[in-house]
């Protein structure tokens, strides 16, 4: 860790692990405080103000855009052991969720349309496909030597998760 007397040189990374972790925690705390302090309307029949909706969208958009940028940074790195295509797929998923959120926000706030179905849904679907591909690539590149009972537990968890999602 650098002391205050040390100068920043171009060879030192701007996005060190410590900087990224502190930035992520700070962003999460700010978003949580924004939600907790401003999400309760003053009266039961009052709607939340427009600035609150815009603020929550901005907190979401910046988080997903930052995640996408970091995934693409990992994809370009030659030091990644887990496979660069894994990070590419996850980065595409994160940028898809960011674009879906932007379109969803515009759909609801700017155009004033009912957000049940929006253009953002196309990007949300792309997100799930890309994240699934990324997770499959992450697991398939490893040689799994599971016992039969471990495969059974894995299948049971997958079936229980699918059944729960279908029930919801």
């Amino acid at each position: 860790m650098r002391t205050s007397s040390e100068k920043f040189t171009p060879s030192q990374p701007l996005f060190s692990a410590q900087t990224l972790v502190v930035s992520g925690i700070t962003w999460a705390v700010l978003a949580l405080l924004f939600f907790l302090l401003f999400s309760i309307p003053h009266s039961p029949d009052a709607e939340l103000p427009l600035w609150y909706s815009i603020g929550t969208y901005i907190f979401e958009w910046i988080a997903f855009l930052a995640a996408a940028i970091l995934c693409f940074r990992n994809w370009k790195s030659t030091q990644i052991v887990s496979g660069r295509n894994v990070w590419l797929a996850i980065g595409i998923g994160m940028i898809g969720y960011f674009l879906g959120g932007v379109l969803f926000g515009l759909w609801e706030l700017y155009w004033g349309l009912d957000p049940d179905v929006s253009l953002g849904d196309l990007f949300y679907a792309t997100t799930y496909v890309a994240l699934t591909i990324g997770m499959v690539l992450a697991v398939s590149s490893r040689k799994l030597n599971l016992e039969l009972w471990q495969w059974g537990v894995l299948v049971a968890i997958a079936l229980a998760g699918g059944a729960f999602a279908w029930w919801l």
Side-chain angles (χ1 to χ4, degrees), residues 4 7 10 16 19 38 41 43 60 83 86 91 113 117 127 146-147 153 156:
S4 59
K7 300 287 187 209
S16 67
T19 303
F38 304 118
S43 65
E60 176 188 345
V86 171
L113 299 172
V117 177
T127 295
L146 299 179
E147 301 287 331
V153 169

Side-chain angles (χ1 to χ4, degrees), residues 17-82:
Q18 182 180 6
T19 303
L20 292 174
V21 170
V22 170
S23 300
I25 291 171
T26 302
W27 193 254
V29 169
L30 289 174
L32 180 64
L33 285 173
F34 183 80
F35 173 75
L36 291 176
L37 293 173
F38 304 118
S39 65
I40 300 174
H42 297 329
S43 65
D45 55 339
E47 289 187 20
L48 292 171
L50 179 64
W51 61 264
Y52 176 76
S53 297
I54 292 171
T56 56
Y57 277 120
I58 288 172
F59 273 110
E60 176 188 345
W61 295 341
I62 291 176
F64 280 108
L65 184 61
I69 289 169
L70 291 175
C71 288
F72 290 137
R73 184 188 103 176
N74 285 349
W75 168 60
K76 292 299 249 179
S77 175
T78 57
Q79 299 175 350
I80 294 297
V81 177
S82 62

Side-chain angles (χ1 to χ4, degrees), residues 60-61 63-73 75 84-102 120-135 137:
E60 176 188 345
W61 295 341
F64 280 108
L65 184 61
I69 289 169
L70 291 175
C71 288
F72 290 137
R73 184 188 103 176
W75 168 60
R84 293 171 47 188
N85 289 335
V86 171
W87 290 103
L88 175 62
I90 294 173
I92 291 170
M94 291 296 100
I95 202 75
Y97 209 88
F98 165 74
L99 293 172
V102 169
D121 294 339
L122 296 172
F123 290 97
Y124 289 141
T126 303
T127 295
Y128 296 123
V129 170
L131 290 178
T132 301
I133 291 170
M135 289 187 290
L137 286 174

